[in-house]
Amino acid sequence: MLRLDIDERRPPRNGSCECRHSFRPRHLVECWLRLGRKPTEVSEMLRLFIFSCFSFAVIAGAAHASADVLVDVEIHEDMPNDAPWTFARGPTTKYAQAAFAWNALPKKYLRGGIIGDRSNPFTLRATARINFPTGEYDLLLRSKDLARLLVDGEVVIEQPKRLSKNADGHEVTPNLLPAVRPNHRPPPPGHQEFTLKHPLGGTHEIVLEAVVGGKGLRADLGDLCVAVAGPNEELFRILSPDRLESFPLTDEAWAAWSGRANAHVHQLDTEHRRKAASADDEYWQKRHQQARHHYEDQPHVVVPAVESQDQLANPIDRFVAVRLEEKSLRAAPLGSDMEFLRRVTLDTVGVVPTLSEIERFTTDPPSDRREQLIDRLLGDPRWADHWVSYWQDVFAENPNILKASLNNTGPFRWWIYESFFDNKPMDRFATDLILMQGSKYSGGPAGFGMATQNDVPEANKALILSKAFLAANLYCARCHDSPTNDYTQKQLFSMAAMLRREALALPQTSTVELEGVGREPLIQVSLKPGMQILPHWPLDELGSDELLAGVLRNASDPREWLAAIVTAPSNERFANVTVNRIWHRYAGRGLVDPIDDWHDATPSHPELLNYLSRELVTHDYDIKHIARLILTSQTYQRQVLAEDTDQRHLGERWFASATRRRMSAEQVFDSLFSVAGKKVHAERLTMDPEGRRPINSFLNLGIPRRAWQFSSLSNERDRPALSLPVAQSANDLLKAYGWREARQDAVSVRDETITPLQPLVLAHGTIGRRLVGLSDDHAVTELCLHDVSLDELVDTLFLSFFTRRPSDYERKVTTEFLDSGYQDRVVAGAVAIKDAHAWQRHPVSWSNHLHPKSSEIMLRIENRAREADLPTARLQQDWRERMEDILWALVNNPEFMFIP
Amino acid sequence: MPANRRDFMKYVGGTAIGSQLLEPAGASARESNAPALQGTADNCIFIWLGGGACQLDTWDPKVRGDAKTKQPGSYYDSIPTAVQDVQVCEHLHRTAQLLDRCAILRTVHHDVIDEHAAAVNRLHTGRPTSGTTIYPSLGSITSHQLGPGEQSIPPYVVMGYPNLTRGPGFLGPEASFLYLTDTTAGPSGLMLPPDVNAFRQRRREGLLTKLQSNFLSKSEGDQKIDAYAKALEAGLKMTRSKFMSVFDLDKEPAARREAYGGEFGQRCLLARRLTGVGVRFVEVAFNLNFLNGTGWDTHNEGQLQQHLMIDELDRAFANLILDLEREKRLDRTLLVIATEFGRPAEFDGRGGRSHQCRAFSIVLAGGGLKSGQAIGQTDELSKQILERPISVPDMHATIYAAMRINPNEELYDGDRPVPITDHGEPVGELFG
C-alpha cells in the first residue's frame, strides 16, 4: 500500500513509498491522480516533492519511460565550422530522454571518470518517432544559437542566427521577449523563438539539430525545446513521443520538469562517469589488493582488553576506555535517541532530520535503530554534498565567475562532489587531484592546478597537498626557509617541480630580500632567484619513493610518482592524516591536533590512530568504513556535558564526553531551507547568462541548490548591473556563519569567531526573512492550511526544528500565543500567488551591463529582492503574523545552531 | 597561556574584567611610539570611485583634448582653485573653492594595469595577492587598530558591494564590515523588515527569550553557546539602540539632504553621521552607474555623460567638507577620494579611455593634514611621473599616520609578523 508522510495528503518528504514500483515522480503523479487530486494540485505537489528532495541526486530511475517512447539524443563534436550539420563522424555521447526539452546536458568524461571538455562548439541531434492525429499544428522551436527542426527529413524551422561574441558590454539593454501566447513561459534573454503552422498526421520522424557554443563563446545550452499546439489547443506542449511526458510550456510546468530533468542528467552522468572510470578499476583493485597484504608481515595492532569489555564491542571504545581508566575519568552517558538522530544526520548528510526520517527512526526497533540509521545515512547520496564544503576549504577551491585573477582556481567542486557520490577510495581521490587532469573550467581536477596571477602556482599546490594529505605545513617555505619548523624552500619547490613535471626556476617574486632589513632577520633564505630546482620527492621522513616502480602506471610522470609516494600504504602518514581528519570531523577534536600540521603534535591515542589507519588501508581506503566504525562507537554517541569544570574539559580531551560543536554555515543554511521546504531561488551564478563570453573568463556555475554550490560574486567593480541580489543575500548568511566566499588559502578548521553582527544576518537579513515569512511555498504554510489541532502543529514545528517534542512550558507558551484565531486561520477561497518569482526575470547580461538601463533594472531588482517573498493570502493576516513570530523565535533560537 | 597578542585578546575577551581591559590593538603603540608624522584624525571617510577615475578629467587636468579628432588631453576645461597654481576640472567648481582644505596626490602609481579586481585589491590591501597570506583591507586594519569610537558600534561600514578586497583577511571576522547598498534600506541585518514594526519586534524577542530559556539554562557553562547567545543578545540590543537612528536621514533638514544631491550624496551624508557617532572607517562607493552606464570606467560611450558623475561627486564632497567644518570636526575626520587606477590622455575608438596605473590622483582632506597643496608632478599629458612618486603603500602609510596609527606597526598572521604596509612611507609634506 502507498505509505505517504504523516498526513496522507502531503507529498512524501524524501520520496518514501513502499509500492512495488519504488518511487518515481511519474509514479507518484499517477498515485496522486488516483487519490483524486486535481492535475494542477498534482503539479504543485510534485514541485514540493522535488524541492524537498533537495539534493538533485535522490531520484533514481527518474523519468525513464519505456524504450520505444523516447527521444534519442546524440552529441557530435569537432564539426567543421562552415558545415555544422555534417554528422559523418558519429556521436561522442549518446543517451535517451523523455521529451524535446533541455536545460542541461550530461557531461563528458575522460578516462578515469574525470570531467573533460567537449569541442567548442559541438552539435546536438535529437530524434524521435511521434504519432500525431491528423490536423494542422503549430510548431515552436526555441534555442539560443543555430538550430533547426526537421520533419521526415525536411527542414521546417530554422534558427539561422549565430550567437555573437560581445566583449565590451556596451550593447543597448534589450527588452524581454514576450511569450508566444498568454500564460506561456517566455524565452529567456538571448534566446530566439520561431513558430510555424504545419500539417501532421500519423507517425513522423522528428529531428532537432542545435549548435552549442563557438569560438569565443561559452558552450552553454540555455533553454532548448520544441513545442507543439494541436488544432484548437490553447497551450503549447513540449514535444514528446510519450503523451504523459509532454508538459505545457508554462513556467510552472517547466520548473516542475526541471527537477526531473536535472535528476535524469545526474543519473546519466553517474552512468557515463562510472563507465569511463572502469578502465582504471583493475589498476586500483590491484593497488588495494597490495594494500590489504601490506600489513600481513607486520605485527597486528592489538585491540586492548578492558574491564567492561562486554559492553564495548567496538574497538574504538576499548582504546578510549584504556586511557579513561588510566586517567580515572568516567565516560559520559550516551546521548538520547533523538539527540543521536540529529547529530548523526547532520554529521553525515549535513541537514537536520526531516519529519519522515524522524518517524522512520522512531518506528524502527529500539535495539537496531541506531545501526540501521547509520547504514541508511551512509547510503544516502547527500553524503557527497556534506563532504564538498570540507574539501573546498582544504584544497582552497576558489573559482571566480568573472575574469579569474586573485589566486583563483577552476570550479573543481563538481569533481569533489562526484568523487564522494561514487565513494571513491581516498588514495584514488588524492591521486586524481595530484594528476590535475581533465577540464579546467568545467569542474575537472585540472581546475585545482590553476592559481591565477600566482608566480608559481605549483608551489601553492604543493603547499596545499602537503597540508591536506601529510599534515606538513610548508607555508613559510613559499618564500624562504621556514623559521618555525625544519622545512626549507628547496623542499617545497622540489615538490612543486614534480607537479610541473620539469625543473623550476625560482622567481624573484618568490623570495625575500634580506639586505638592509636593519635587524637580525628571523628567517634564512638558502635559494637564490634564478636557481633551477629539479623535481624530487623532498620529505623522506614522510614517505619514500622506493619500491614504487611496480605500482606506477606511468613511471616517467613525476605527478604519478608524487601521487604514488603520498598514497602508498608503506608511507603511513597519508592514512594517519586521513583517518584523523575523519575522526576530527565527527568528534570535534583530532587524535592529533592541529589536523593539518603535525610538526609539534603527538597523538593522544597512538594505537587507536594506527588501528584506524590500518582499517583504512586494508579496506580499500574506503572512508565510509572508517565512518561506520566511528559512528557506531559509544565514544561518538556520548553526550556533550555542559558544566564548566576542569573535569569536563579534561574529559573531553580524552573523549570521555563529546565536544560541543556548532553547525557549519552550510549546515545552518541547508537545514533551515530544508525545514522551510523552500527553494532558494538564487540567480544562475554567472555574469553572462547569454553565453556570449568565453569560459576562461566567464564561468557559469549554474543555479545553486545547496550551500556548497554558492560562490564569490566577484563584484569588485561595484557595478549594480553585475549584482546577483538573491545569491548575495545567501552569501551574506553563509559568511555570517564562517563560510569563506573566496578561498585563496587552504584552511582545515574555520574561524568561527562570533561577533554581534553575525546572528543579526539571520535575524533581520533577507534570507532570514524568507525563512520565517509564510509565503505560499513555505512548508509551514502548507502545514497551517491542514486540518490539524494546534497541539499537533506545535509538535510538528518542534520536531522539524529541534528534532524533539516541546517541553510543557514551550507548548504552553506557543499554544497560548497561537490559540486566538486558530480556528479561523484559513481564508476561504484564497489562492496561491502565481508567478511569485517573475520579478527575477531580466535581460541584463555582460553584453549590455554598461548601458545605463541595465544598472537601473538591477537596482530595481535589488530593491525588490530586499522585500523577500510575498506572504500567502490563504492565512488570516493577524494569525499569520503571530505564526511568523513563532517561526522567528524558533529560527533564531541558539538551540538550532548547536549539534546536540 | 596565550602565545601572542591575538590569543591574549581572545583570552581576556571572555571574562567580564577582560572586556573592560579590551583595548584596541594599536592603542599602546599610538601613545608610546608617537612618530613625528602624525595627523589628528579619529575617523576616515574613504570615497571610492570604482572603475578608475580619469585624473585628467578631474584633479590633474592638462591641455584640452578632443575625443572626436582623437586629440589626447583633458575632456573638459579646467578652472583655478583656492590653491595657487593648482587647477581642477571645471565640473569640480564647488570643491575648487574649498581646495585649501584638500591635498591632491597626483603621482600615485602601481603596476597592476589591466584588471579591475586585481587593482581594486591592490588599492585596498596595498599588496599583491599571495595565496599564503590573505591581507586585510585598509578599513579592516584601521578599525582593528583603533576599535570603535564607542562601545557596541560597528567600527567599519561599507556602502557598496561586499567583496574580498574590503575584507579583513587574516585579522578575522571581528575586523569585518557592515554593509549597505541603499541608504533608504539601510544595512541588511540591522534594519527591521518593513512589515515588522517595533511592537512586533518586541513581541518576537519576548518569544525568543522564553523559547530559548530551556536550552540556555541546560547549557549553562558551555562557552561556545554562551558566546553565541551573548552575541545574539548584543546584536539585537544594537538594533534597538540609539545607534540605529543614525540611518534615519529624514532627521536631517530637507535643505541639507538636497544640497548633498542624489544617492551618492546621501551616502556621504550618512557617512558624516556614522563617523559622528564613532564609526571609525566608512567606505563610500560611488557606483551609481545608471548616470552614464559605465560608472568611472569610462571606456567608449561611458565618457559622454561622465560630467554628471563628476558633478555629483563635487556636490557631495564639497558639502561634506563644509558640514564637517560646521561641526568642527574636519580635523578629526580624514577624507580620502581613491580609485583603482587612472586613465590615459588618449581616446579610444568610441570616445572613451582605457586604463592607466602608472600615474593617477588620490585626494585627501581634513585629518589635521597640511592641506592646500598638490603633491607630485606629472608630465604634460599626465603620462609619466616627473617628480615625487607615491606608491600605494606610501598612500596607506599616510592614511595610517593621519589617523595616528603607527605606520611601522606589525600585524600578526598567526605567528608570522606582517608589516602594516609593504615598506610604505607617509608623505612627509602633509604633516608637521
Side-chain angles (χ1 to χ4, degrees):
Chain A
M1 253 333 288
L2 200 62
R3 173 177 166 266
L4 293 179
D5 204 2
I6 291 175
D7 180 341
E8 221 191 50
R9 290 162 290 173
R10 275 169 42 231
R13 294 293 282 237
N14 64 357
S16 58
C17 164
E18 278 150 42
C19 277
R20 270 192 322 270
H21 302 280
S22 81
F23 62 90
R24 281 180 295 144
R26 189 177 150 194
H27 161 68
L28 280 170
V29 166
E30 288 166 341
C31 284
W32 287 326
L33 289 171
R34 268 191 278 119
L35 280 172
R37 311 302 277 170
K38 301 196 193 58
T40 48
E41 284 176 287
V42 164
S43 94
E44 180 59 43
M45 288 161 76
L46 187 61
R47 190 175 69 80
L48 256 177
F49 161 66
I50 301 290
F51 299 164
S52 52
C53 286
F54 219 63
S55 171
F56 56 42
V58 177
I59 310 168
H64 254 358
S66 57
D68 52 341
V69 283
L70 287 174
V71 178
D72 288 316
V73 186
E74 294 177 345
I75 298 178
H76 296 255
E77 297 183 50
D78 297 313
M79 314 290 271
N81 233 343
D82 51 352
W85 310 126
T86 52
F87 299 101
R89 271 200 188 165
T92 53
T93 305
K94 238 169 97 98
Y95 65 99
Q97 64 181 40
F100 278 89
W102 290 260
N103 63 2
L105 286 174
K107 299 192 193 88
K108 177 170 183 173
Y109 290 98
L110 306 174
R111 188 200 163 111
I114 301 298
I115 298 169
D117 291 316
R118 292 196 169 98
S119 66
N120 186 21
F122 59 85
T123 309
L124 180 145
R125 185 165 199 265
T127 315
R129 299 187 65 74
I130 305 182
N131 193 13
F132 295 89
T134 309
E136 179 95 334
Y137 287 79
D138 286 290
L139 294 170
L140 181 153
L141 168 64
R142 171 187 296 176
S143 78
K144 211 153 47 110
D145 206 336
L146 266 189
R148 57 190 209 171
L149 184 70
L150 298 94
V151 176
D152 297 326
E154 205 191 295
V155 177
V156 296
I157 304 181
E158 190 151 10
Q159 205 288 61
K161 199 165 146 259
R162 208 70 211 250
L163 198 62
S164 64
K165 294 185 287 192
N166 171 274
D168 66 9
H170 283 272
E171 283 184 12
V172 175
T173 319
N175 291 319
L176 282 172
L177 290 176
V180 62
R181 286 179 188 173
N183 298 322
H184 280 67
R185 175 180 167 80
H191 287 65
Q192 299 272 327
E193 213 164 69
F194 291 82
T195 54
L196 173 84
K197 275 195 163 11
H198 198 272
L200 296 168
T203 305
H204 296 278
E205 188 194 62
I206 310 287
V207 176
L208 168 70
E209 295 169 348
V211 171
V212 182
K215 188 148 179 274
L217 304 174
R218 193 176 59 251
D220 268 359
L221 182 66
D223 275 17
L224 174 66
C225 63
V226 181
V228 65
N232 305 318
E233 272 184 333
E234 255 306 309
L235 282 178
F236 272 94
R237 291 175 292 107
I238 295 295
L239 195 60
S240 168
D242 180 350
R243 195 60 172 77
L244 261 176
E245 302 287 350
S246 173
F247 59 92
L249 185 55
T250 60
D251 275 329
E252 258 189 88
W254 186 273
W257 162 83
S258 284
R260 292 204 313 278
N262 286 336
H264 182 51
V265 167
H266 186 274
Q267 192 195 358
L268 289 166
D269 278 345
T270 304
E271 282 168 17
H272 298 162
R273 176 177 69 248
R274 288 182 184 169
K275 184 150 173 273
S278 63
D280 286 342
D281 281 351
E282 202 189 305
Y283 168 73
W284 287 103
Q285 275 156 20
K286 214 175 79 182
R287 286 270 306 251
H288 293 149
Q289 205 180 30
Q290 288 172 346
R292 277 196 290 278
H293 293 314
H294 175 75
Y295 291 111
E296 263 166 15
D297 308 323
Q298 299 186 29
H300 285 273
V301 176
V302 176
V303 179
V306 284
E307 268 183 44
S308 45
Q309 190 142 305
D310 307 314
Q311 289 110 41
L312 298 179
N314 189 315
I316 290 175
D317 293 325
R318 296 192 191 180
F319 283 107
V320 170
V322 165
R323 280 285 185 283
L324 295 183
E325 271 175 30
E326 271 173 30
K327 300 189 183 294
S328 311
L329 293 167
R330 250 191 32 197
L334 299 189
S336 71
D337 269 351
M338 295 301 252
E339 286 171 348
F340 172 73
L341 170 65
R342 190 175 176 90
R343 181 193 296 180
V344 79
T345 308
L346 279 166
D347 277 345
T348 49
V349 298
V351 282
V352 295
T354 61
L355 292 169
S356 54
E357 285 166 2
I358 296 173
E359 193 186 323
R360 174 73 194 266
F361 178 69
T362 49
T363 51
D364 276 343
S367 52
D368 289 331
R369 61 170 63 127
R370 293 194 186 201
E371 287 242 4
Q372 287 194 21
L373 174 66
I374 290 169
D375 282 339
R376 275 200 301 282
L377 290 169
L378 290 178
D380 191 313
R382 296 170 296 169
W383 162 267
D385 292 288
H386 189 43
W387 272 112
V388 179
S389 357
Y390 182 86
W391 297 106
Q392 283 175 311
D393 272 337
V394 172
F395 298 147
E397 193 253 3
N398 189 28
N400 195 329
I401 58 175
L402 173 60
K403 296 188 189 169
S405 55
L406 308 175
N407 218 52
N408 291 123
T409 67
F412 60 94
R413 57 192 45 193
W414 311 115
W415 164 79
I416 299 175
Y417 173 79
E418 289 174 356
S419 298
F420 282 86
F421 186 80
D422 292 340
N423 197 30
K424 186 178 292 178
M426 278 306 281
D427 55 349
R428 190 165 178 176
F429 179 65
T431 301
D432 272 358
L433 187 72
I434 292 171
L435 292 181
M436 302 193 294
Q437 289 166 339
S439 168
K440 268 205 222 174
Y441 297 105
S442 293
F448 170 66
M450 287 168 59
T452 54
Q453 294 187 345
N454 193 299
D455 58 343
V456 191
E458 297 86 356
N460 252 58
K461 304 309 158 181
L463 289 176
I464 293 171
L465 292 169
S466 307
K467 272 181 97 162
F469 297 132
L470 304 171
N473 186 2
L474 281 80
Y475 263 54
C476 298
R478 184 68 177 78
C479 300
H480 51 72
D481 295 343
S482 173
T484 52
N485 52 36
D486 294 322
Y487 298 122
T488 65
Q489 195 175 22
K490 180 154 185 231
Q491 285 178 304
L492 176 67
F493 276 78
S494 303
M495 204 188 311
M498 291 179 85
L499 289 173
R500 190 178 282 199
R501 293 172 160 145
E502 60 183 14
L504 260 180
L506 184 73
Q508 181 71 44
T509 41
S510 274
T511 189
V512 175
E513 265 305 321
L514 283 185
E515 304 290 309
V517 160
R519 61 176 162 116
E520 193 59 41
L522 296 168
I523 52 167
Q524 257 195 311
V525 180
S526 47
L527 292 183
K528 291 200 179 4
M531 272 183 79
Q532 291 280 327
I533 301 122
L534 296 170
H536 174 72
W537 170 250
L539 304 174
D540 289 320
E541 74 280 14
L542 296 185
S544 150
D545 55 6
E546 288 173 18
L547 305 173
L548 287 183
V551 152
L552 296 166
R553 282 173 292 194
N554 176 5
S556 61
D557 182 356
R559 284 187 201 171
E560 288 265 9
W561 275 96
L562 183 59
I565 294 168
V566 167
T567 58
S570 50
N571 299 325
E572 292 179 343
R573 183 73 139 204
F574 173 68
N576 284 348
V577 170
T578 302
V579 301
N580 189 53
R581 282 184 175 280
I582 301 167
W583 180 275
H584 176 272
R585 190 123 143 102
Y586 297 136
R589 58 178 76 226
L591 297 169
V592 189
D593 270 314
I595 60 176
D596 58 358
D597 184 356
W598 288 11
H599 172 70
D600 263 338
T602 39
S604 60
H605 298 70
E607 301 86 7
L608 173 56
L609 183 67
N610 269 340
Y611 173 80
L612 289 174
S613 297
R614 290 198 185 195
E615 286 292 309
L616 182 72
V617 170
T618 56
H619 286 79
D620 298 355
Y621 289 82
D622 178 3
I623 62 168
K624 283 190 185 178
H625 173 67
I626 303 299
R628 183 176 276 104
L629 277 173
I630 297 173
L631 300 174
T632 49
S633 71
Q634 290 189 17
T635 305
Y636 169 76
Q637 298 184 17
R638 286 185 185 132
Q639 281 179 4
V640 182
L641 300 176
E643 68 260 11
D644 190 13
T645 58
D646 287 336
Q647 186 75 353
R648 191 259 294 191
H649 292 296
L650 181 65
E652 276 181 17
R653 279 187 55 210
W654 298 101
F655 307 103
S657 62
T659 299
R660 177 68 68 193
R661 292 176 290 144
R662 202 201 73 196
M663 282 197 210
S664 67
E666 290 89 338
Q667 286 170 319
V668 172
F669 186 90
D670 287 339
S671 295
L672 286 172
F673 272 94
S674 170
V675 171
K678 286 176 88 129
K679 270 172 100 168
V680 185
H681 285 285
E683 302 85 356
R684 185 165 274 118
L685 295 180
T686 179
M687 304 246 165
D688 170 42
E690 287 175 335
R692 295 168 64 193
R693 303 297 297 129
I695 200 172
N696 63 356
S697 50
F698 284 74
L699 295 182
N700 177 359
L701 297 180
I703 298 179
R705 291 182 175 83
R706 277 197 72 153
W708 63 265
Q709 295 168 348
F710 284 84
S711 112
S712 164
L713 298 179
S714 309
N715 203 351
E716 288 87 12
R717 290 161 179 71
D718 259 332
R719 294 179 193 167
L722 296 181
S723 88
L724 298 171
V726 179
Q728 181 67 66
S729 64
N731 281 19
D732 287 350
L733 182 61
L734 286 167
K735 276 192 291 187
Y737 288 94
W739 179 74
R740 298 190 301 157
E741 195 172 32
R743 291 176 283 261
Q744 290 188 52
D745 61 337
V747 153
S748 287
V749 179
R750 288 181 181 170
D751 184 347
E752 296 201 324
T753 315
I754 192 91
T755 69
L757 293 179
Q758 289 162 314
L760 277 183
V761 177
L762 181 59
H764 293 322
T766 311
I767 293 278
R769 294 181 55 198
R770 292 179 60 209
L771 289 167
V772 307
L774 289 177
S775 55
D776 282 309
D777 63 342
H778 200 295
V780 177
T781 305
E782 260 327 291
L783 193 59
C784 294
L785 290 172
H786 278 76
D787 191 10
V788 288
S789 70
L790 183 52
D791 263 335
E792 212 183 313
L793 176 67
V794 169
D795 263 9
T796 307
L797 284 178
F798 274 79
L799 282 170
S800 275
F801 275 92
F802 305 122
T803 317
R804 63 174 177 85
R805 295 204 142 77
S807 68
D808 290 335
Y809 175 66
E810 287 164 341
R811 186 187 296 284
K812 180 164 173 289
V813 168
T814 316
T815 49
E816 272 176 12
F817 190 69
L818 293 175
D819 191 53
S820 159
Y822 185 71
Q823 301 306 324
D824 305 311
R825 67 194 182 284
V826 179
V827 176
V831 291
I833 296 169
K834 282 184 74 76
D835 297 328
H837 289 272
W839 58 270
Q840 291 189 267
R841 183 172 279 146
H842 66 75
V844 175
S845 186
W846 180 265
S847 65
N848 56 53
H849 85 283
L850 293 175
H851 191 274
K853 193 163 159 221
S854 292
S855 289
E856 280 171 38
I857 290 173
M858 288 318 296
L859 283 169
R860 268 206 315 270
I861 290 186
E862 269 185 19
N863 282 336
R864 174 59 187 86
R866 262 192 289 272
E867 289 168 27
D869 297 326
L870 290 170
T872 181
R874 296 180 287 165
L875 289 172
Q876 197 273 327
Q877 180 175 346
D878 175 69
W879 188 86
R880 173 183 56 77
E881 288 183 354
R882 277 183 279 127
M883 181 72 243
E884 289 172 345
D885 290 350
I886 290 285
L887 286 183
W888 187 89
L890 297 177
V891 163
N892 289 285
N893 185 342
E895 179 174 351
F896 189 86
M897 300 294 154
F898 287 90
I899 301 181
Chain B
M1 264 323 278
N4 59 35
R5 160 141 257 295
R6 261 181 99 190
D7 281 352
F8 178 72
M9 299 309 284
K10 286 195 181 130
Y11 179 76
V12 294
T15 64
I17 299 170
S19 51
Q20 284 166 15
L21 282 181
L22 253 174
E23 338 168 291
S28 56
R30 260 180 125 190
E31 283 146 25
S32 64
N33 237 331
L37 303 177
Q38 226 187 59
T40 54
D42 290 328
N43 316 88
C44 178
I45 298 178
F46 187 84
I47 293 173
W48 179 255
L49 307 182
C54 178
Q55 70 288 1
L56 287 141
D57 292 342
T58 51
W59 309 103
D60 191 16
K62 305 286 176 181
V63 65
R64 179 75 192 255
D66 182 3
K68 287 199 178 64
T69 59
K70 295 266 198 123
Q71 183 71 19
S74 295
Y75 197 65
Y76 313 105
D77 287 330
S78 52
I79 53 173
T81 67
V83 179
Q84 201 177 34
D85 298 328
V86 175
Q87 299 222 326
V88 296
C89 162
E90 58 178 322
H91 296 292
L92 290 166
H93 53 94
R94 302 173 191 87
T95 308
Q97 294 171 46
L98 304 171
L99 212 66
D100 53 335
R101 281 80 147 174
C102 307
I104 305 177
L105 309 180
R106 297 188 289 210
T107 50
V108 183
H109 66 93
H110 59 69
D111 56 4
V112 186
I113 186 167
D114 258 342
E115 221 294 301
H116 287 281
V120 170
N121 192 62
R122 182 67 65 90
L123 260 291
H124 281 79
T125 64
R127 288 178 160 97
T129 45
S130 81
T132 46
T133 302
I134 314 302
Y135 296 106
S137 64
L138 193 62
S140 289
I141 292 177
T142 307
S143 54
H144 178 258
Q145 295 300 105
L146 300 178
E150 295 290 316
Q151 278 266 7
S152 321
I153 302 256
Y156 176 18
V157 174
V158 168
M159 299 191 211
Y161 291 100
N163 64 51
L164 183 68
T165 63
R166 292 169 164 146
F170 63 74
L171 292 179
E174 283 149 334
S176 188
F177 53 83
L178 178 69
Y179 86 95
L180 60 91
T181 53
D182 183 80
T183 49
T184 36
S188 177
L190 225 50
M191 308 302 265
L192 291 182
D195 57 339
V196 178
N197 57 18
F199 162 74
R200 208 173 154 196
Q201 182 60 26
R202 266 202 311 277
R203 191 169 80 176
R204 294 181 156 190
E205 290 186 27
L207 286 170
L208 174 62
T209 306
K210 290 191 181 137
L211 293 178
Q212 69 179 359
S213 59
N214 186 21
F215 177 69
L216 291 183
S217 60
K218 254 184 23 195
S219 359
E220 209 176 308
D222 187 314
Q223 284 171 352
K224 282 200 178 122
I225 294 175
D226 192 53
Y228 185 88
K230 285 206 163 64
L232 174 59
E233 198 188 310
L236 290 174
K237 193 159 164 222
M238 193 192 304
T239 64
R240 283 184 254 115
S241 69
K242 267 178 28 194
F243 169 67
M244 293 306 295
S245 62
V246 78
F247 296 104
D248 195 354
L249 294 183
D250 287 334
K251 292 219 159 60
E252 294 280 338
R256 179 166 301 135
R257 292 196 69 180
E258 264 183 60
Y260 272 83
E263 169 66 12
F264 172 70
Q266 303 307 307
R267 287 182 180 183
C268 288
L269 178 51
L270 179 55
R272 195 213 83 217
R273 289 167 66 87
L274 284 167
T275 51
V277 300
V279 177
R280 283 290 178 203
F281 192 98
V282 183
E283 174 160 351
V284 181
F286 187 147
N287 64 341
L288 294 325
N289 295 5
F290 52 81
L291 287 175
N292 70 340
T294 60
W296 297 95
D297 190 26
T298 51
H299 296 277
N300 301 309
E301 296 86 5
Q303 184 75 19
L304 296 173
Q305 306 295 327
Q306 185 190 216
H307 61 280
L308 298 176
M309 311 254 303
I310 302 174
D311 184 67
E312 287 256 334
L313 171 66
D314 180 51
R315 176 202 287 268
F317 190 59
N319 273 281
L320 188 55
I321 293 179
L322 290 173
D323 250 1
L324 288 168
E325 274 190 339
R326 183 181 51 80
E327 289 183 1
K328 297 190 172 31
R329 58 183 179 98
L330 184 59
D331 277 352
R332 284 182 285 120
T333 315
L334 177 68
L335 303 178
V336 184
I337 303 180
T339 188
E340 65 256 43
F341 37 56
R343 306 187 97 82
E346 292 78 10
F347 294 97
D348 65 30
R350 302 205 312 258
R353 306 183 197 270
S354 67
H355 305 162
Q356 175 177 298
C357 61
R358 73 176 102 78
F360 61 102
S361 298
I362 303 275
V363 176
L364 301 174
L369 299 177
K370 274 177 74 179
S371 52
Q373 49 176 327
I375 299 172
Q377 184 86 314
T378 55
D379 68 12
E380 72 280 4
L381 283 178
S382 179
K383 274 190 151 345
Q384 301 290 347
I385 294 173
L386 295 177
E387 54 158 52
R388 209 348 175 165
I390 300 169
S391 69
V392 173
D394 291 337
M395 171 200 153
H396 284 206
T398 307
I399 291 172
Y400 293 135
M403 300 193 70
R404 292 175 287 159
I405 296 170
N406 183 0
N408 300 314
E409 181 83 18
E410 272 182 351
L411 305 172
Y412 276 84
D413 176 12
D415 287 330
R416 184 186 171 207
V418 178
I420 203 172
T421 77
D422 188 13
H423 299 113
E425 298 273 344
V427 173
E429 296 91 306
L430 292 169
F431 299 94

